[in-house]
Amino acid sequence: MEKTSRVQVKPGIQREVLIAEGSLLQALIIFDRPLKDTLHSHPHEQCTYVLEGEFEFIVGDQTVIRKAGESIYLPSNVMHCANSLTPGKLLDTFTPIRQDFL
């Protein structure tokens, strides 16, 4: 499956699935301003690359800051969130495919 239309996830956050093939899904996440995310977990492994901006990631009991050009790995079933400290863009890759994104 190729690129989907951009959807508003919640005010200030948009998501666009770029590709979903094999066991991988890649999505562009756009934060138009600094925002607090909600802690959540899912059974998917996730790798996030910061395209633009600066983000505070909470993963389990750790908090780290990542900025443009840096990545973070999020294991399956671990509580996590990404708080945007500035407007920015993330490139998220999930395995297996997140059917809830399609």
Side-chain angles (χ1 to χ4, degrees):
M1 190 212 94
E2 294 289 325
K3 191 173 182 176
T4 64
S5 299
R6 196 169 286 177
V7 297
Q8 185 165 325
V9 178
K10 58 176 121 176
I13 302 175
Q14 296 178 33
R15 176 180 64 228
E16 183 177 336
V17 174
L18 302 176
I19 191 165
E21 295 287 340
S23 64
L24 295 173
L25 179 141
Q26 194 168 63
L28 175 65
I29 313 298
I30 300 165
F31 293 76
D32 67 9
R33 61 184 181 271
L35 290 167
K36 291 263 186 201
D37 193 9
T38 304
L39 277 170
H40 63 281
S41 69
H42 44 73
H44 314 84
E45 287 182 276
Q46 177 180 347
C47 184
T48 297
Y49 178 76
V50 181
L51 293 166
E52 295 176 11
E54 188 172 359
F55 291 81
E56 173 191 68
F57 290 91
I58 299 171
V59 184
D61 60 358
Q62 295 185 351
T63 300
V64 297
I65 304 293
R66 294 288 187 266
K67 52 189 166 189
E70 298 178 329
S71 297
I72 189 166
Y73 169 72
L74 307 167
S76 62
N77 299 312
V78 172
M79 294 298 287
H80 64 276
C81 70
N83 299 316
S84 61
L85 303 176
T86 66
K89 295 180 182 177
L90 301 175
L91 183 63
D92 284 343
T93 304
F94 297 94
T95 187
I97 287 177
R98 291 206 49 170
Q99 295 299 325
D100 58 323
F101 280 19
L102 303 179

